């Protein structure tokens, strides 16, 4: 199950374990239990501090508990955590085994201070790139605070439970039997939901900060590049971000990032954050900007107000708020979001194995999603508004070769249909005949592009009818001292590498703006 090279790498990691660890298995006679036993025995053979024992003390089988010997400290996996979750398995082994976690002391103290008993159950899929963040965060919390328990469940393996608990998107988190949240969350986001005073405390800290030379709003590729370039100039730089990494965290395979033949969004997002932290940049995460107040006079301070109630001021602002998945905006879409309406085929596709699904959108993303889903679903219907597909020809040929795919063009989706708890179908209008049609479905994957996160800027900087921030070749907006970069702007071709270049351009332009202000400031001070 683990090749020789991977075993050697894992053995090197496990050398960091300082406390004895037990792998306590619950199995049946099935093939998956045998696979799990093989994996656990292999791991136990790589370290003299790890032992394997079969207990059959958990109702979910196959499952296993990673427990610090002689204690209640441990985490449980129901299933075989390979694929994207292999890293979660390795980290759990290290942390249960006494290796210190890579989080701040402030976060550790906040976890320890949580009162009450918390049992988290997280449903994941092995192909979900967002799931490991949640699994690893909750595992970490359970190791630090013994009153917190974490069980991570492979939804594809425990399908009856998935159906019974109406899990239709991953990651889905239950706390003490009640749904707690869906989608990617890191440890700070989870703590913010549990510790109601965390937001207010963070806001107070932000309010006390001195004005920045440059403030970057947004933590995606453009924002990270802007922060690095600004900090390298030796000026006081801050970043406010709703989630560091941005939309790239929801991206699966990245094969066009120059010099890197292949990577994945979460991996790139983590690398961006680590690179920014190499510099003296004040990163304020989990902060949503809600209003921009331009400086009252040239060279003055521009203010960014945050949803938390805090505000930040700076001499120059770089807007890099990125974009989000575009919605169909039809009746039923919001009601059945994560109840059959999904936006990530890689994450949620395994939950629709053997079911009938639709993909909305005939661009590259839509056609790629349909191809992927065709290997899992019983049937895939691709619906495209235009009279023809817009994806690359090689993708179209692959799609048309699949026997369980139907392509419908010149079609406008008009409504998502459900039974109150889940999707049961959709209606669409044939744009040629103006007739209405109904499709019986159990899942709908929306892949119709992106919309810029700029609603909060309306009335301050000039926007296009599509909501994009209008910029020139230097990244300057219509407001003096305010620059912009990335997918939220009018720059053509929304690509990671282009966003990074635009972020660098905006930072260099902001620095040029600041140094040209310096003589005037000195004259005012001298007066």
């Amino acid at each position: 199950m683990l090749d020789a090279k991977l075993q050697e790498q894992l053995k090197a990691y496990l050398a960091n374990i300082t406390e004895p660890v037990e792998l306590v298995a619950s199995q049946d006679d099935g093939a998956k239990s045998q696979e799990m036993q093989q994996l656990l025995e292999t791991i136990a053979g790589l370290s003299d501090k790890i032992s394997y024992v079969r207990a059959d003390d958990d109702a979910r089988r196959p499952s296993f508990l990673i427990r610090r010997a002689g204690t209640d400290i441990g985490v449980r996996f129901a299933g075989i955590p390979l694929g994207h979750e292999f890293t979660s398995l390795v980290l759990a082994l290290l942390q249960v085994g006494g290796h210190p976690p890579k989080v701040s002391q402030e976060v550790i103290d906040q976890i320890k201070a949580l009162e009450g008993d918390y049992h988290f159950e997280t449903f994941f899929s092995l192909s979900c790139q967002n799931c490991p963040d949640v699994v690893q965060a909750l595992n970490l919390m359970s190791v630090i605070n013994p009153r917190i328990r974490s069980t991570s469940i492979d939804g594809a393996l425990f399908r009856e439970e998935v159906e019974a608990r109406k899990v239709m998107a991953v990651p889905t988190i239950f706390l003490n039997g009640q749904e707690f949240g869906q989608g990617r969350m890191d440890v700070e986001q989870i703590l913010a939901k549990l510790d109601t005073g965390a937001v207010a405390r963070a806001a107070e800290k932000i309010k006390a900060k001195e004005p920045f030379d440059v403030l970057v709003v947004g933590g995606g590729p453009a924002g990270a590049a802007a922060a690095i370039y600004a900090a390298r100039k030796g000026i006081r730089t801050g970043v406010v971000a709703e989630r560091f990494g941005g939309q790239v965290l929801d991206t699966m395979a990245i094969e066009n990032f120059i010099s890197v033949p292949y990577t994945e969004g979460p991996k790139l997002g983590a690398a961006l954050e680590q690179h920014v932290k190499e510099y003296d940049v004040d990163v304020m995460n989990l902060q949503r900007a809600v209003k921009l107040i331009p400086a009252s006079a040239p060279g003055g301070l521009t203010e960014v107000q945050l949803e938390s109630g805090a505000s930040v001021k700076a001499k120059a602002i770089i807007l890099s708020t990125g974009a989000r998945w575009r919605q169909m905006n039809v009746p039923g879409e919001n009601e059945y979001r994560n109840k059959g309406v999904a936006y990530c085929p890689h994450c949620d596709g395994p939950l629709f194995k053997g079911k009938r699904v639709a993909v909305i959108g005939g661009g590259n993303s839509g056609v790629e999603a349909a191809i992927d889903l065709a290997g899992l679903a019983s049937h895939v219907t691709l619906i495209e508004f235009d009279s023809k597909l817009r994806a690359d020809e090689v993708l179209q040929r692959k799609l048309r070769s699949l026997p369980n795919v139907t392509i419908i063009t010149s079609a406008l989706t008009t409504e998502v249909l459900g039974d109150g708890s889940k999707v049961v179908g959709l209606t669409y209008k044939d744009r040629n005949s103006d007739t209405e049609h109904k499709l019986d479905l159990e899942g709908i994957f929306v892949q119709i592009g992106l919309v810029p996160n700029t609603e909060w800027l309306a009335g301050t900087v000039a926007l296009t009818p599509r909501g994009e921030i209008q910029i020139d070749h230097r990244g300057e907006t219509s407001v003096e001292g305010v620059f912009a970069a990335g997918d939220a702007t009018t720059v053509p071709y929304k690509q990671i590498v282009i966003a990074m270049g635009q972020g660098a351009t905006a930072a260099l332009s902001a620095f040029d703006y600041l140094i040209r202000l310096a003589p005037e400031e000195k004259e005012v001070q001298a007066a």
Side-chain angles (χ1 to χ4, degrees):
M1 185 171 291
L2 302 180
D3 61 33
K5 183 178 179 180
L6 189 54
Q7 288 188 40
E8 284 300 313
Q9 292 174 337
L10 181 55
K11 184 176 182 179
Y13 281 119
L14 298 181
N16 293 304
I17 290 178
T18 59
E19 301 284 346
V21 172
E22 298 171 332
L23 303 177
V24 185
S26 294
Q27 302 171 215
D28 54 24
D29 296 328
K32 287 296 181 181
S33 284
Q34 296 302 312
E35 288 182 32
M36 185 189 75
Q37 179 176 338
Q38 180 187 349
L39 173 65
L40 299 184
E41 288 179 339
T42 299
I43 293 172
L46 298 176
S47 171
D48 59 4
K49 289 188 178 296
I50 301 177
S51 60
Y52 162 78
V53 59
R54 179 170 175 176
D56 295 340
D57 59 351
D58 188 70
R60 294 190 186 97
R61 302 181 184 183
S63 69
F64 64 98
L65 177 68
I66 304 175
R67 180 173 64 197
R68 186 177 298 173
T71 75
D72 293 328
I73 296 173
V75 302
R76 183 177 291 277
F77 287 96
I80 307 172
L82 296 176
H84 285 291
E85 291 300 340
F86 184 67
T87 300
S88 302
L89 171 60
V90 176
L91 286 174
L93 289 165
L94 292 174
Q95 291 165 0
V96 172
H99 189 63
K102 292 184 177 180
V103 292
S104 69
Q105 188 60 47
E106 182 180 5
V107 169
I108 292 173
D109 292 342
Q110 192 176 356
I111 295 171
K112 288 181 177 179
L114 289 173
E115 297 181 354
D117 295 309
Y118 303 87
H119 181 202
F120 289 98
E121 297 169 292
T122 304
F123 286 85
F124 67 86
S125 72
L126 296 178
S127 59
C128 170
Q129 73 271 22
N130 291 323
C131 294
D133 287 333
V134 175
V135 170
Q136 291 166 24
L138 292 173
N139 285 350
L140 169 70
M141 292 172 64
S142 70
V143 171
I144 292 173
N145 186 333
R147 299 185 70 176
I148 299 172
R149 289 184 294 151
S150 173
T151 301
S152 303
I153 306 159
D154 183 354
L157 199 57
F158 293 89
R159 297 188 61 81
E160 289 186 5
E161 187 172 358
V162 164
E163 295 286 347
R165 301 178 76 166
K166 299 179 181 179
V167 176
M168 304 191 73
V170 290
T172 292
I173 311 163
F174 289 86
L175 171 58
N176 298 336
Q178 302 297 315
E179 189 170 313
F180 175 77
Q182 291 179 322
R184 181 187 180 276
M185 285 191 282
D186 59 25
V187 66
E188 291 177 329
Q189 290 171 300
I190 294 169
L191 283 171
K193 292 191 70 172
L194 296 174
D195 182 358
T196 55
V199 173
R201 291 196 301 271
E204 289 302 314
K205 288 182 180 180
I206 292 172
K207 288 178 182 178
K209 294 180 185 293
E210 294 294 322
F212 292 92
D213 292 318
V214 170
L215 178 68
V216 181
V217 184
I228 290 168
Y229 266 74
R232 285 175 61 86
K233 293 295 184 181
I235 57 180
R236 179 168 156 75
T237 304
V239 176
V240 290
E242 191 169 352
R243 60 168 185 164
F244 205 97
Q247 183 76 8
V248 75
L249 297 174
D250 301 324
T251 303
M252 186 63 173
I254 300 171
E255 300 175 318
N256 56 359
F257 189 59
I258 311 306
S259 83
V260 180
Y262 178 86
T263 189
E264 294 176 351
K267 184 177 180 180
L268 178 59
L272 290 174
E273 186 170 11
Q274 184 59 43
H275 195 176
V276 169
K277 288 181 177 178
E278 293 292 323
Y279 295 91
D280 187 16
V281 177
D282 190 340
V283 178
M284 294 158 276
N285 205 10
L286 306 183
Q287 298 297 325
R288 182 185 180 91
V290 294
K291 188 174 183 180
L292 178 73
I293 303 177
S296 58
L301 296 174
T302 297
E303 181 180 353
V304 175
Q305 294 183 349
L306 306 176
E307 190 175 59
S308 65
S311 65
V312 194
K313 295 181 180 180
K315 297 175 185 176
I317 303 289
I318 298 175
L319 304 171
S320 56
T321 47
R324 62 187 183 276
W325 291 115
R326 185 181 298 277
Q327 295 184 257
M328 297 181 291
N329 292 321
V330 299
E333 180 178 15
N334 285 331
E335 181 181 355
Y336 292 101
R337 184 184 179 103
N338 295 325
K339 297 178 181 179
V341 176
Y343 300 84
C344 180
H346 300 293
C347 299
D348 301 330
L351 300 178
F352 293 85
K353 185 175 182 179
K355 298 182 178 181
R356 298 179 64 85
V357 302
V359 174
I360 312 299
N364 281 349
S365 296
V367 171
E368 287 173 351
I371 292 170
D372 287 345
L373 290 167
L376 295 166
S378 62
H379 190 271
V380 178
T381 302
L382 186 143
I383 298 176
E384 165 58 30
F385 179 83
D386 205 349
S387 60
K388 60 182 180 181
L389 302 184
R390 294 168 286 107
D392 296 340
E393 184 59 35
V394 63
L395 293 174
Q396 293 191 42
R397 287 198 300 270
K398 174 64 176 176
L399 182 69
R400 295 181 192 282
S401 73
L402 300 174
N404 61 333
V405 173
T406 299
I407 300 171
I408 301 175
T409 56
S410 298
L412 172 65
T413 303
T414 54
E415 186 176 1
V416 172
L417 305 175
D419 63 2
S421 63
K422 64 182 184 303
V423 165
V424 298
L426 63 77
T427 59
Y428 71 90
K429 181 171 70 175
D430 185 320
R431 296 177 56 237
N432 294 321
S433 63
D434 213 30
T435 56
E436 289 277 347
H437 300 268
K438 177 186 175 184
L439 285 177
D440 293 326
L441 302 162
E442 292 159 288
I444 301 170
F445 290 82
V446 183
Q447 300 283 287
I448 55 175
L450 302 171
V451 58
N453 297 316
T454 57
E455 292 88 349
W456 65 287
L457 295 169
T460 52
V461 299
L463 306 175
T464 69
R466 292 170 56 88
E468 296 173 324
I469 304 169
Q470 294 182 4
I471 59 171
D472 63 14
H473 65 285
R474 294 169 55 87
E476 295 177 336
T477 72
S478 60
V479 176
E480 183 176 340
V482 178
F483 305 81
D487 289 0
T489 73
T490 49
V491 63
Y493 313 119
K494 312 304 185 185
Q495 299 290 308
I496 293 170
V497 69
I498 292 174
M500 287 183 173
Q502 289 291 314
T505 297
L508 294 173
S509 296
F511 179 70
D512 183 67
Y513 167 78
L514 291 174
I515 61 175
R516 293 175 187 278
L517 287 178
E520 295 181 13
E521 291 179 355
K522 288 180 180 178
E523 289 175 10
V524 171
Q525 291 171 0

